[in-house]
Amino acid sequence: MNNWQELEKKYYMKTGNRVPVTLVRGEGARIWDDAGREYLDFVSGWAVNSLGHCHPALVKALTEQAKTLVQTSNQFYTIPQIQLAQLLVENSCLDKVYVCNSGAEACEGAVKLARRYGSLKLNGAYEIITAFNSFHGRTLAMTAATGQVKFQVPYIPLPLGFKNVEYNSIEAVREATTEHTCAVMLEPIQGEGGVNVPDEDYLASVRAWCDEKGILLILDEIQTGIGRLGTLFAYEQYGIEPDIMTLAKGLGSGVPIGAFTAKDEVCVFVPGEHGSTFGGNPLTCAAACATVSFIIENDITANVRKVGQYFTGSLNNLQKKYPFITDVRGRGLLLAIEFDREIGQDMLNACLENGLLVNCVKPDALRFMPPLIIGNSEVDEALGILDKSLSGIDS
Ligand SMILES: *Cc1c(COP(=O)(O)O)cnc(C)c1O
């Protein structure tokens, strides 16, 4: 057998640390490594495999589309792209969709659209307010949008026009707003920043402020959208509507795809102002259509609410047993536990040893983002492994 990890070291550019496991095959919520070991996957390709691994509906759509048409240029009309746009519009408050290839690209597109809107309708306003501990992707501009110094410092100078402010503070948004502001861009719950859940009225307050100032609200639903929080989109739970919304991660259940969506009055691009070679290609759009249709037709969001509630309850019980768990938070199937010490990586390793994949989102916190199709039995299994892994820690 090849030593893949040695080969990786030799040939692959290092940009981050990996868990020392080589994954080769997946099915549902299970994944196997090259030694044949089975794991319960509560990472799901980073909240991506919404239907689990290799779901029959996804495989069928990909296989059929691969045999039919994979790529054209966007000079031509293609059917899966239009079907996906229709599906997203008919099931959201947004009116138009643009399909791209990743989350960072979706946020870039959203920011470009907001700037274009600012230049045409808001006297040239261009500045975007974003939050500390946010995550909007790794392009240069999205590094400036992402309010985390560790991602920004290596790449100074960063593109101008972003103001990072405290999350969950309407005051901070108000103070940062000037005549140059064209939009506020926020995650409904901050995912990469540590599963940070804002106060119940935060998004509504920001929405009201944006309305008062005539500026746009961009919701980055790349992690929270497509059912992850128990509704198709997170904004539904906060009684507000964004002007622009970005999607990616769970949209294609594993294929690289992103999208930004907007209200009609915000769609100010004219031909030539934005584009992409691969964006919206038939293969990825067919996969996304199959994913979103499956979620809607099978009421997967109800499952997310039910299993999410059960999972949260189980984690709360775990906290009673292990008081060094200081917080249980999140919604639907985007959950986290925080510890009073930095044992995240040790716990990840212990879970791995016991057959469960989790994410160490911060040195002192674990994040869980299982496929949306799991049941209570997978939660029980995961909790058993967590319990076993935590039992080695001194209170
Ligand atoms: C993951 C993520 C992104 C970036 O997506 P990529 O596909 O990695 O570029 C942007 N915003 C949020 C909220 C995310 O969770």
Side-chain angles (χ1 to χ4, degrees):
M1 193 165 61
N2 278 319
N3 190 334
W4 297 111
Q5 290 168 36
E6 281 302 312
L7 290 172
E8 189 264 7
K9 199 167 172 179
K10 182 158 179 213
Y11 294 116
Y12 205 84
M13 194 180 294
K14 189 157 184 78
T15 64
N17 296 316
R18 300 195 204 237
V19 177
V21 173
T22 306
L23 299 169
V24 294
R25 182 170 70 83
E27 191 184 324
R30 313 272 157 184
I31 199 159
W32 287 266
D33 69 14
D34 60 345
R37 279 208 62 190
E38 180 182 309
Y39 304 88
L40 182 59
D41 186 2
F42 272 35
V43 177
S44 310
W46 244 311
V48 166
N49 305 105
S50 27
L51 305 185
H53 295 283
C54 303
H55 191 281
L58 178 77
V59 173
K60 181 163 175 278
L62 278 173
T63 313
E64 278 175 10
Q65 193 59 47
K67 288 191 223 165
T68 309
L69 185 67
V70 171
Q71 161 78 8
T72 69
S73 88
N74 276 310
Q75 296 169 85
F76 304 101
Y77 296 86
T78 50
I79 297 167
Q81 182 183 99
I82 300 163
Q83 288 173 325
L84 177 60
Q86 182 178 8
L87 197 54
L88 292 173
V89 167
E90 286 181 351
N91 290 284
S92 74
C93 66
L94 289 312
D95 301 312
K96 295 284 189 295
V97 175
Y98 181 85
V99 188
C100 56
N101 310 287
S102 70
E105 229 185 285
C107 290
E108 283 271 348
V111 163
K112 283 173 77 177
L113 185 60
R115 280 204 184 180
R116 212 61 203 96
Y117 182 89
S119 76
L120 296 168
K121 313 256 176 167
L122 301 174
N123 295 318
Y126 58 89
E127 222 162 50
I128 316 261
I129 298 170
T130 65
F132 289 128
N133 291 316
S134 61
F135 189 79
H136 301 293
R138 304 283 208 140
T139 60
L140 265 187
M142 287 314 103
T143 299
T146 292
Q148 301 196 49
V149 172
K150 68 177 180 207
F151 294 133
Q152 298 181 334
V153 165
Y155 302 109
I156 288 168
L158 296 175
L160 302 176
F162 296 93
K163 262 193 195 167
N164 309 145
V165 305
E166 196 186 327
Y167 188 60
N168 196 25
S169 163
I170 180 64
E171 270 318 306
V173 171
R174 285 200 183 116
E175 277 164 26
T177 305
T178 69
E179 82 257 34
H180 301 303
T181 309
C182 69
V184 179
M185 179 161 75
L186 297 169
E187 295 158 86
I189 287 181
Q190 292 184 327
E192 300 308 307
V195 190
N196 304 321
V197 183
D199 293 341
E200 209 52 47
D201 61 351
Y202 173 61
L203 290 175
S205 315
V206 176
R207 174 71 274 179
W209 176 253
C210 290
D211 288 343
E212 191 181 324
K213 293 286 154 186
I215 59 179
L216 302 176
L217 175 61
I218 305 172
L219 283 187
D220 180 350
E221 291 236 22
I222 286 167
Q223 190 152 158
T224 55
I226 315 296
R228 176 68 42 197
L229 299 194
T231 45
L232 197 55
F233 305 106
Y235 72 76
E236 298 169 43
Q237 301 185 26
Y238 293 95
I240 57 150
E241 296 187 352
D243 301 298
I244 302 177
M245 173 174 74
T246 58
L247 299 170
K249 293 208 161 84
L251 177 59
S253 206
V255 303
I257 189 167
F260 59 95
T261 62
K263 298 273 197 187
D264 268 330
E265 54 275 24
V266 181
C267 296
V268 294
F269 285 148
V270 298
E273 287 184 346
H274 195 60
S276 164
T277 299
F278 294 118
N281 102 354
L283 190 72
T284 55
C285 286
C289 279
T291 301
V292 178
S293 303
F294 188 92
I295 287 173
I296 293 169
E297 283 160 21
N298 295 280
D299 204 6
I300 297 300
T301 53
N303 185 64
V304 172
R305 290 194 295 275
K306 185 189 78 158
V307 178
Q309 202 159 33
Y310 181 73
F311 196 177
T312 306
S314 307
L315 291 171
N316 285 330
N317 289 338
L318 202 67
Q319 185 182 21
K320 288 191 194 107
K321 185 163 174 190
Y322 300 107
F324 57 87
I325 298 176
T326 52
D327 195 24
V328 174
R329 59 176 180 262
R331 264 197 197 187
L333 287 173
L334 178 61
L335 300 173
I337 54 176
E338 192 159 304
F339 306 108
D340 68 359
R341 61 199 87 169
E342 300 196 345
I343 52 169
Q345 194 60 42
D346 292 344
M347 284 303 102
L348 182 152
N349 291 333
C351 288
L352 190 70
E353 196 60 38
N354 292 311
L356 173 68
L357 304 187
V358 296
N359 168 244
C360 176
V361 69
K362 295 202 296 185
D364 60 355
L366 294 181
R367 176 174 47 161
F368 311 103
M369 38 195 163
L372 309 182
I373 44 98
I374 62 161
N376 290 356
S377 64
E378 280 92 355
V379 171
D380 287 340
E381 192 179 332
L383 260 290
I385 293 174
L386 274 171
D387 192 351
K388 188 170 166 193
S389 306
L390 290 165
S391 64
I393 307 286
D394 289 330
S395 288

